[in-house]
Amino acid sequence: MALPPLVEPADELTIDEVRRYSRHLIIPDVAMDGQKRLKNAKVLCVGAGGLGSPALMYLAAAGVGTLGIVEFDTVDESNLQRQIIHGQSDVGRSKAESAAASIAEINPYVKVNIHDEVLTNDNVMDIFAGYDLIVDGTDNFATRYMVNDAAVLLGKPYVWGSIFRFDGQASVFWADNGPCYRCLYPEPPPPGMVPSCAEGGVLGVLCASIGSIQVTEAIKLLTGIGEPLLGRLMVYDALEMTYRTVRVAKDPNCAICGDNPTVTGLIDYDDFCGAVTDEAASAVQGSTITAAELKDWLDAGKDIDLIDVREPAEWEIVRIPGARLIPKGDIVSGNALSELRTDKQAVFYCKAGVRSAEALAAAKSAGLSNAVHVQGGVLAWINQVDPSLPEY
């Protein structure tokens, strides 16, 4: 459904701004009024990574007057394949500062507010309060639910996007006029069920496809033109080059925006989403070793069965010497339990320690009571033992 403009227009555009935005000004639906609204708008982008990069760049180019950036991370070389707002010279730099510098090059008339901090229950309401619209570029479920709940409680709309490998999704959530994120996804997926981009990968250009859709939706909401994706989920398959739209209805039983909400304030989102299953959390107690300890075991010739539970593509990138590959999914499903040796102590590792914890739980349930996993996974091995190996 069409909605009224989200913000009032600014008083005027300068001569330089008229020159800069002339291609907008000659579009009848945008014109001078729409561009003035963009100038007066305040948009917050949560994250300056894969989705945040194209979103911030095009929001700046479009002339959004104030852009906020919430980002606590620093630029890593593995980011550059998709996070195009950063460059080689930015490696090691604050992502928020790097993004702000790029925005200044794109459009010096945009004011940038840097929130170089982790978004938490303690600051999210105060940060969101200063903006008209939120663009969500996060990649973990705990933050997504926190962003949604804060937006609902403050009555603010937000544009959501999600990417994984070759697939992308986008929608607009605004509880005052339609569904919220919880209406679409009332509960997070089970821990470990949906791998992150860091675990499963993402086609770099997919970020531009979904990020540009997010900016398009933001512009439509700010200026009051077109039909926003409110009440619709856009699903994109890059391999098939198909777009399809799924209707999303407001859920009267929604925990936060329904008729009788049970969530009336911010909650513990890490606990709600869970990093690992309860079984995995229990299994690692007293059964966790560090990368340095594993190195000592290997140097001493300890008779262990070192098992890499990542995917074959990750195995091809880097591995700990002496390991063999059994993907976590095959262990958890039970298909590979017969491959686990009973005459040696099993030592599981993955990229960062989450998947190995799940594999450890499955192995212990199958009777390997003395099995352990490596805290921090192969990344910890690289950082603590062999920094010559490539990170990913």
Side-chain angles (χ1 to χ4, degrees):
M1 61 178 176
L3 295 170
L6 190 59
V7 297
E8 293 298 316
D11 291 336
E12 62 178 4
L13 299 181
T14 66
I15 293 177
D16 288 339
E17 288 171 329
V18 169
R19 293 194 190 100
R20 176 176 289 266
Y21 307 126
S22 62
R23 298 303 186 272
H24 274 177
L25 300 179
I26 58 178
I27 302 174
D29 290 342
V30 180
M32 187 66 75
D33 181 76
Q35 194 63 51
K36 287 180 179 179
R37 294 182 193 277
L38 292 177
K39 179 178 180 177
N40 210 28
K42 298 179 177 66
V43 175
L44 177 71
C45 193
V46 183
L51 291 175
S53 289
L56 286 165
M57 294 171 78
Y58 269 105
L59 287 167
V64 172
T66 301
L67 286 177
I69 307 170
V70 183
E71 179 60 79
F72 67 93
D73 204 1
T74 56
V75 180
D76 182 81
E77 199 163 14
S78 67
N79 301 148
L80 303 182
Q81 162 256 10
R82 65 201 177 281
Q83 300 180 17
I84 58 172
I85 203 167
H86 314 296
Q88 184 65 40
S89 63
D90 296 312
V91 172
R93 186 182 187 186
S94 156
K95 282 187 180 179
E97 293 180 2
S98 169
S102 294
I103 290 169
E105 284 294 311
I106 293 169
N107 191 344
Y109 302 111
V110 174
K111 177 185 176 184
V112 179
N113 297 328
I114 294 177
H115 305 277
D116 194 356
E117 55 190 309
V118 178
L119 195 66
T120 68
N121 284 12
D122 294 331
N123 61 21
V124 63
M125 299 293 278
D126 288 340
I127 292 175
F128 279 19
Y131 296 91
D132 305 303
L133 174 73
I134 314 300
V135 174
D136 182 14
T138 58
D139 62 356
N140 69 85
F141 290 101
T143 308
R144 287 174 182 170
Y145 280 97
M146 179 177 62
V147 167
N148 176 78
D149 293 359
V152 172
L153 294 171
L154 291 169
K156 293 185 182 291
Y158 80 98
V159 184
W160 170 79
S162 174
I163 50 175
F164 180 69
R165 291 183 175 166
F166 301 98
D167 301 320
Q169 299 181 1
S171 190
V172 171
F173 298 113
W174 193 0
D176 290 352
N177 293 282
C180 77
Y181 181 75
R182 284 182 183 262
C183 295
L184 176 62
Y185 297 116
E187 299 285 340
M193 181 67 69
V194 180
S196 67
C197 290
E199 294 177 339
V202 60
L203 185 70
V205 72
L206 181 69
C207 302
S209 300
I210 301 302
S212 64
I213 289 172
Q214 290 182 279
V215 175
T216 302
E217 293 304 304
I219 290 172
K220 288 157 61 179
L221 288 167
L222 295 169
T223 60
I225 62 175
E227 288 266 336
L229 276 173
L230 187 65
R232 294 182 293 152
L233 174 69
M234 197 283 308
V235 181
Y236 172 53
D237 183 332
L239 283 183
E240 299 293 332
M241 193 49 67
T242 58
Y243 291 86
R244 61 188 178 93
T245 303
V246 179
R247 288 286 174 182
V248 181
K250 189 175 181 68
D251 182 3
N253 298 313
C254 177
I256 192 166
C257 76
D259 297 335
N260 298 291
T262 56
V263 177
T264 56
L266 301 178
I267 64 173
D268 186 333
Y269 295 97
D270 288 330
D271 181 65
F272 177 62
C273 296
V276 296
T277 61
D278 292 340
E279 293 80 7
S282 176
V284 301
Q285 298 299 318
S287 298
T288 300
I289 64 171
T290 66
E293 287 174 316
L294 174 60
K295 174 70 162 52
D296 291 340
W297 285 12
L298 293 173
D299 289 345
K302 186 170 182 177
D303 196 20
I304 62 173
D305 186 14
L306 185 58
I307 301 170
D308 188 323
V309 301
R310 298 172 300 152
E311 295 300 308
E314 296 174 272
W315 168 266
E316 293 296 328
I317 298 170
V318 64
R319 71 197 73 161
I320 298 176
R324 63 191 182 104
L325 177 67
I326 308 178
K328 182 208 79 172
D330 295 338
I331 297 174
V332 173
S333 68
N335 293 334
L337 287 176
S338 61
E339 298 180 38
L340 301 180
R341 300 180 59 172
T342 57
D343 60 330
K344 292 186 176 184
Q345 182 177 18
V347 178
F348 298 100
Y349 76 87
C350 60
K351 180 179 181 179
V354 175
R355 285 173 285 176
S356 59
E358 302 289 350
L360 178 64
K364 284 195 169 187
S365 296
L368 272 69
S369 59
N370 67 339
V372 297
H373 91 125
V374 180
Q375 184 179 43
V378 72
L379 293 182
W381 178 269
I382 294 168
N383 291 326
Q384 299 174 26
V385 179
D386 189 356
S388 68
L389 296 176
E391 289 190 30
Y392 69 101

